[in-house]
Amino acid sequence: MSVLIVGSTALDSIKTPQAENPRLLGGSASHAAVAASFFAPVKLIGVVGGDFPARYVQLYKKHRIDLSGLQMEKGNTFHWSGEYEVNMNNRRTLLTELGVFEKFTPHLPEPHKQSAFVLLANIAPALQHHVLDQMTRPKFVVADTMDLWLNIALGDLLRLLPRIDGFVLNDSEAHQLTKQDNVFAAMKAIHRLGPKYVIIKKGSHGSILSSPKGFFICPAYPLRKVVDPTGAGDSFVGGLMGYLSTARGAIDANIRRAMIHGSVVASFCCEGFGLNRTTRVKRAEIASRVRELEQLTKF
Amino acid sequence: MSVLIVGSTALDSIKTPQAENPRLLGGSASHAAVAASFFAPVKLIGVVGGDFPARYVQLYKKHRIDLSGLQMEKGNTFHWSGEYEVNMNNRRTLLTELGVFEKFTPHLPEPHKQSAFVLLANIAPALQHHVLDQMTRPKFVVADTMDLWLNIALGDLLRLLPRIDGFVLNDSEAHQLTKQDNVFAAMKAIHRLGPKYVIIKKGSHGSILSSPKGFFICPAYPLRKVVDPTGAGDSFVGGLMGYLSTARGAIDANIRRAMIHGSVVASFCCEGFGLNRTTRVKRAEIASRVRELEQLTKF
């Protein structure tokens, strides 16, 4: 089955202590869509402006991403600029130009409304609602978020949680949302807000799933060098949903391996600026890192 | 085989937002010895003063710990006092009274010198050297440390590293020692300083082994509530060495399961003040949590 992905489609200008990279293809939906494309056909919902480079449309197409839901509007593409510190753990936003994103209203083409697997990648919860409102009867809906929405759109987010099956957020966001320091206590509190599946991302420390079948501790792939972590979380959840949408059997039977595959795609994402490394990944490389993770966690 | 453990034997006064607990049995050697005792006979090397409560001697004995190397000196037992913040991640030292520890020189009883497995739990590297100097031909030596020794005894520590097989430290200490932000790069750098086995502790994020057989990502047992994390790292390495000293076969074949067992004992340590919970642990409870960790990491 295919996976429908809505989120931001952006141009990212990323500064690290080593290099400056202007106007890379970025945004939560771009990272998630490319990651998912290794496992499943992807339908992308987003918006870009007149300045959106043709080579990025080609990149989407190279990954066989269905662009019939990608709106092209007059104006500039959403542009984000950020700078990482030496240790790659802290980043600060230098500039946010919303451009065409400011008035973005996702419109789903008719066939998209039947999609079984829906990833509401990180965008305003109101837009995530708007996509869900148009869906007929999705089988499995996962939403991602960020601290910004906890700060300025908490009501919308809290109303979204009962409408989704899985919720993905990082540990500091989980703390902010639940006021629980302990990650397992936080996950329990988030279940009470709606989602049956809660996944907490911990960057290089991996991620944790809390599900009806209990916890799963998912490792991060050991990277000796991180070039640019932008989009790693989006790649993780994109890979996860791509894998899940084509795996046979119940969600519970597949979600652990789906997380492992997401974790592996996220590791490739960190090895290059923007999507530079991810877009060159071969299926055999993914399979190889999955086997490595099996070895790394066996006891 | 038995395991020889040298380290601090102390009275810990621990304050948390919930409670105040004066003069608990503590110290790196106490935690490590009790943890190791679940798997192997333990020989303890340490020093206590005249104020050391008889009930703590009984506690050691309950765990069948060989106390022939525990020196009883005139003066007061090493007393440490610390306070944890609400989130249990940050602690500050309120008071350190070295007492008889100030002039401690470990003397090994003759039979102890033949021990095959040696754990140099956290004490001054000079004392760790002094113990090694007295050993005949240990099979496997592991050392733990703390940031204090990196600050005030780095030379001694650097001279110790080529003399040991395994080195255990936490992620911030690894960063301090190697100036590497990336934990895998840090482990590589530590191998170059001597030890074949490097284990980096990451608290609730688990631990990582770098060995001749590659990496192992070891999970922490998921605790919903941490009462007192004091001694968790000592319990981890104590449990690890206790398990390893009685396991049949090569180190490489057993060290992963040894870490898992250490991780489980450390989880019990966190569930009570001082050794209150650890000392009540039953072997069946350890086995049960090991099985749970198997389930939690399977994919």
Side-chain angles (χ1 to χ4, degrees):
Chain A
M1 271 183 268
S2 66
V3 51
L4 179 82
I5 298 178
V6 62
S8 62
T9 39
L11 299 174
D12 284 353
S13 296
I14 297 167
K15 256 175 106 166
T16 69
Q18 283 78 41
E20 207 162 327
N21 289 268
R23 301 171 77 75
L24 297 159
L25 178 56
S28 62
S30 300
H31 280 282
V34 171
S37 77
F38 294 107
F39 311 104
V42 176
K43 297 182 174 74
L44 179 66
I45 306 291
V47 64
V48 296
D51 61 343
F52 194 69
R55 67 180 185 282
Y56 292 160
V57 175
Q58 285 310 313
L59 190 152
Y60 286 143
K61 287 187 175 168
K62 182 191 150 199
H63 287 271
R64 304 171 318 285
I65 294 167
D66 180 336
L67 300 179
S68 57
L70 181 66
Q71 299 165 36
M72 308 258 183
E73 305 289 347
K74 268 189 197 146
N76 285 329
T77 305
F78 175 33
H79 180 211
W80 175 82
S81 169
E83 181 171 15
Y84 284 89
E85 286 177 17
V86 181
N87 69 10
M88 291 288 162
N89 291 326
N90 302 318
R91 80 171 177 204
R92 61 194 187 96
T93 293
L94 299 173
L95 171 149
T96 306
E97 295 169 327
L98 286 177
V100 294
F101 209 71
E102 198 166 0
K103 297 186 175 167
F104 176 45
T105 308
H107 296 300
L108 269 57
E110 213 48 48
H112 286 41
K113 298 178 180 174
Q114 316 292 329
S115 298
F117 286 80
V118 179
L119 171 54
L120 309 171
N122 171 36
I123 41 167
L127 298 182
Q128 295 176 316
H129 275 286
H130 193 68
V131 168
L132 273 192
D133 291 342
Q134 297 171 67
M135 301 299 304
T136 308
R137 205 177 187 180
K139 183 185 166 199
F140 197 70
V141 180
V142 167
D144 196 351
T145 196
M146 72 182 290
D147 52 355
L148 176 65
W149 312 123
L150 295 173
N151 292 330
I152 69 168
L154 183 59
D156 289 345
L157 184 66
L158 291 174
R159 277 187 296 277
L160 182 75
L161 296 182
R163 301 187 70 189
I164 62 176
D165 301 289
F167 188 40
V168 177
L169 69 176
N170 71 33
D171 41 5
S172 67
E173 291 155 5
H175 168 64
Q176 188 181 341
L177 179 61
T178 64
K179 313 291 175 250
Q180 296 283 351
D181 281 304
N182 181 292
V183 72
F184 299 99
M187 288 197 286
K188 200 178 171 183
I190 295 170
H191 282 306
R192 284 195 291 262
L193 299 173
K196 262 173 81 176
Y197 299 84
V198 177
I199 293 176
I200 294 196
K201 298 174 287 183
K202 306 191 296 172
S204 64
H205 300 304
S207 56
I208 306 175
L209 163 73
S210 176
S211 79
K213 296 280 181 192
F215 296 123
F216 172 54
I217 299 174
C218 178
Y221 181 84
L223 288 178
R224 207 162 279 169
K225 191 170 159 43
V226 170
V227 173
D228 170 20
T230 312
D234 308 309
S235 301
F236 168 73
V237 70
L240 184 162
M241 282 296 275
Y243 182 92
L244 210 51
S245 69
T246 53
R248 283 187 206 174
I251 297 293
D252 281 322
N254 295 312
I255 194 164
R256 291 173 171 226
R257 286 194 77 81
M259 286 173 70
I260 291 287
H261 281 80
S263 188
V264 163
V265 181
S267 75
F268 287 113
C269 174
C270 293
E271 290 185 306
F273 282 98
L275 279 155
N276 291 353
R277 175 70 181 102
T278 316
T279 194
R280 290 187 293 105
V281 169
K282 292 182 177 50
R283 280 300 302 264
E285 292 177 305
I286 294 172
S288 162
R289 288 197 176 179
V290 168
R291 281 194 303 273
E292 274 188 81
L293 281 181
E294 280 167 352
Q295 288 307 315
L296 283 168
T297 52
K298 230 185 213 168
F299 61 88
Chain B
M1 270 183 269
S2 65
V3 51
L4 179 83
I5 298 178
V6 63
S8 61
T9 39
L11 299 174
D12 284 353
S13 296
I14 297 167
K15 256 175 106 166
T16 69
Q18 284 76 41
E20 206 162 326
N21 290 269
R23 301 171 78 77
L24 297 159
L25 177 56
S28 63
S30 300
H31 280 282
V34 170
S37 76
F38 293 106
F39 312 103
V42 176
K43 298 182 173 78
L44 179 66
I45 306 290
V47 63
V48 296
D51 61 343
F52 193 70
R55 68 179 185 282
Y56 292 160
V57 175
Q58 285 311 312
L59 191 153
Y60 286 143
K61 285 186 177 167
K62 182 192 150 199
H63 287 271
R64 305 172 318 282
I65 294 167
D66 180 335
L67 299 179
S68 57
L70 181 65
Q71 299 166 35
M72 309 256 183
E73 304 290 349
K74 267 188 198 149
N76 285 329
T77 305
F78 175 33
H79 180 211
W80 175 82
S81 169
E83 182 171 13
Y84 283 90
E85 287 176 17
V86 182
N87 67 11
M88 292 286 162
N89 290 324
N90 301 319
R91 79 170 179 206
R92 63 194 185 95
T93 293
L94 299 173
L95 171 150
T96 306
E97 296 167 329
L98 285 177
V100 294
F101 208 73
E102 197 167 1
K103 296 186 174 169
F104 176 45
T105 309
H107 296 301
L108 270 55
E110 213 48 49
H112 286 41
K113 299 179 179 174
Q114 315 292 330
S115 299
F117 287 81
V118 180
L119 171 55
L120 309 171
N122 172 35
I123 42 167
L127 299 182
Q128 294 176 316
H129 275 286
H130 193 69
V131 168
L132 273 191
D133 291 342
Q134 297 171 68
M135 301 299 303
T136 308
R137 206 178 187 179
K139 184 183 165 200
F140 198 70
V141 180
V142 167
D144 196 350
T145 195
M146 72 182 292
D147 53 356
L148 176 67
W149 313 123
L150 295 172
N151 292 329
I152 70 168
L154 183 59
D156 289 344
L157 183 66
L158 290 174
R159 278 186 296 278
L160 182 75
L161 295 182
R163 300 186 69 188
I164 61 177
D165 301 289
F167 188 41
V168 177
L169 70 175
N170 71 33
D171 41 5
S172 67
E173 292 154 5
H175 168 63
Q176 188 181 341
L177 178 61
T178 65
K179 313 290 175 252
Q180 295 282 350
D181 281 303
N182 181 292
V183 71
F184 299 99
M187 288 196 286
K188 199 177 172 182
I190 295 170
H191 281 307
R192 283 194 292 262
L193 299 173
K196 261 172 81 176
Y197 299 84
V198 177
I199 293 175
I200 295 197
K201 297 175 288 183
K202 306 190 297 172
S204 63
H205 300 303
S207 56
I208 305 174
L209 163 73
S210 176
S211 78
K213 296 280 180 190
F215 295 121
F216 171 54
I217 299 174
C218 178
Y221 181 84
L223 288 178
R224 206 163 279 169
K225 191 169 161 43
V226 170
V227 173
D228 170 19
T230 313
D234 309 309
S235 301
F236 168 74
V237 69
L240 185 162
M241 282 297 275
Y243 182 93
L244 211 51
S245 69
T246 53
R248 284 188 206 175
I251 297 292
D252 281 322
N254 296 312
I255 193 162
R256 291 173 172 227
R257 285 195 79 79
M259 286 172 69
I260 291 288
H261 282 79
S263 188
V264 164
V265 181
S267 74
F268 287 112
C269 174
C270 292
E271 290 185 307
F273 282 98
L275 280 154
N276 290 353
R277 175 70 181 105
T278 316
T279 193
R280 292 187 292 107
V281 170
K282 293 184 175 48
R283 280 301 301 267
E285 292 178 304
I286 295 173
S288 162
R289 287 198 176 179
V290 168
R291 281 193 303 273
E292 273 189 81
L293 281 182
E294 280 167 351
Q295 288 307 316
L296 284 169
T297 53
K298 229 184 213 171
F299 62 86

